[in-house]
């Protein structure tokens, strides 16, 4: 098994400046580090126990779309309803309102400027992800 020391989600945005504004200002993610110079410089944000990196640029496909739907971000929040109000106040479009799913998580969907789906998840106190039975 490979000994993994760290990880991050890497996104190649269509417009790095627009994506930096979305993740840094609208979502309010704190910057871990930046590297390089100019518009296509890399910016790495804290994501709880992980990181999100925006770096470089990728071209749009023939339709001008950026995401093929294969990648999604999953972000755990303490309170989905409060996150919904805060994000809406910052101008973030709520793609799907917070809903308690059949599997017990409360999920809300938004998207980044390139259409990358982002699910914000609240784990209720009674959900198995919150506790482990005695071993």
């Amino acid at each position: 098994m490979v000994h993994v020391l760290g990880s991050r989600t890497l996104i190649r945005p269509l417009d790095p400046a627009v994506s930096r504004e979305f993740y840094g200002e609208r979502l309010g993610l704190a910057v871990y580090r930046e590297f390089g110079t100019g518009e296509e410089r890399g910016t790495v944000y804290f994501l709880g126990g992980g990181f999100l990196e925006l770096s470089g640029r990728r071209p749009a496909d023939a339709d001008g779309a950026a995401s093929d739907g294969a990648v999604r971000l999953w972000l755990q929040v303490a309170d989905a309803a409060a996150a919904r109000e805060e994000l809406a106040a910052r101008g973030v479009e709520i793609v799907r309102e917070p809903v308690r799913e059949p599997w017990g998580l409360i999920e809300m969907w938004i998207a980044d400027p390139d259409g990358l789906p982002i699910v914000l998840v609240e784990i209720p106190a009674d959900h198995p992800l919150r506790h482990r039975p005695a071993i």
Side-chain angles (χ1 to χ4, degrees):
M1 173 136 181
V2 174
H3 183 74
V4 177
L5 298 177
S7 66
R8 64 180 63 168
T9 299
L10 175 62
I11 297 173
R12 302 261 189 236
L14 290 172
D15 186 330
V18 169
S19 291
R20 273 194 299 276
E21 191 275 333
F22 177 81
Y23 287 102
E25 301 302 320
R26 292 192 185 206
L27 287 187
L29 299 181
V31 173
Y32 169 66
R33 69 184 282 261
E34 291 186 291
F35 56 92
T37 59
E39 180 166 321
E40 295 182 22
R41 70 187 178 279
T43 305
V44 181
Y45 298 95
F46 284 102
L47 280 182
F51 301 102
L52 168 67
E53 176 180 324
L54 299 176
S55 62
R57 178 187 301 261
R58 69 182 171 93
D61 63 18
D63 300 348
S67 177
D68 64 5
V71 175
R72 287 164 175 66
L73 293 180
W74 189 96
L75 305 177
Q76 182 180 346
V77 298
D79 183 331
R84 187 248 180 265
E85 295 308 313
E86 182 177 341
L87 293 172
R90 292 182 183 178
V92 174
E93 178 186 357
I94 307 303
V95 174
R96 185 169 154 265
E97 296 290 334
V99 173
R100 186 167 190 139
E101 300 291 355
W103 47 89
L105 299 177
I106 299 169
E107 297 185 1
M108 173 182 79
W109 288 85
I110 61 174
D112 84 352
D114 293 337
L116 179 74
I118 302 171
V119 60
L120 283 83
V121 178
E122 175 184 339
I123 302 174
D126 62 344
H127 194 276
L129 287 175
R130 284 281 192 127
H131 60 87
R132 293 179 59 191
I135 297 176

